[in-house]
Amino acid sequence: KIKQLNFSISETDANSKKDTNSLIKSFQINLSTTSQYQSALFLIKGLLDNRRLIDISSIKFSRPDNKTDSDLAPGSVYLNIDSNLFYSPLEENEKK
């Protein structure tokens, strides 16, 4: 289960913040989840094996606090992934 998924979509170019007419754009994806360690590794492997270009800037694992997170299954971990997903926007002629 994915606990939180945030998208930050803007009109900025992936290579230059000033050029909005570039052929390559990107948007930021931040994913937070709690899962078993092996499931988290499987998710990361799926992202790495994806055919779409994804720039993963950070992957963070952390242990739940036993006192505040007592409802989690034993062996659970927190996983946070920060990444950029690249795409090519439609041309103005293609939008019509």
Side-chain angles (χ1 to χ4, degrees):
K1 294 180 182 178
I2 294 177
K3 199 173 202 177
Q4 185 175 12
L5 182 63
N6 295 321
F7 292 92
S8 176
I9 301 173
S10 65
E11 293 295 320
T12 58
D13 169 10
N15 299 319
S16 167
K17 301 278 186 205
K18 297 176 184 175
D19 182 12
T20 58
N21 294 324
S22 175
L23 296 177
I24 300 174
K25 306 265 185 193
S26 70
F27 60 92
Q28 188 176 21
I29 300 174
N30 304 91
L31 174 124
S32 297
T33 188
T34 305
S35 72
Q36 295 294 311
Y37 181 74
Q38 290 296 329
S39 297
L41 291 179
F42 185 73
L43 174 64
I44 293 168
K45 182 181 179 339
L47 290 173
L48 294 174
D49 292 343
N50 196 326
R51 293 179 63 188
R52 184 176 294 271
L53 180 60
I54 301 173
D55 176 25
I56 299 174
S57 57
S58 72
I59 298 174
K60 298 175 187 170
F61 284 97
S62 61
R63 248 182 6 186
D65 183 11
N66 291 337
K67 294 175 185 173
T68 59
D69 299 320
S70 59
D71 60 329
L72 297 176
S76 293
V77 294
Y78 287 124
L79 173 65
N80 293 310
I81 300 174
D82 295 326
S83 61
N84 287 313
L85 181 65
F86 296 93
Y87 68 98
S88 179
L90 295 173
E91 295 287 328
E92 285 298 321
N93 295 337
E94 294 177 359
K95 290 181 182 178
K96 295 179 183 178

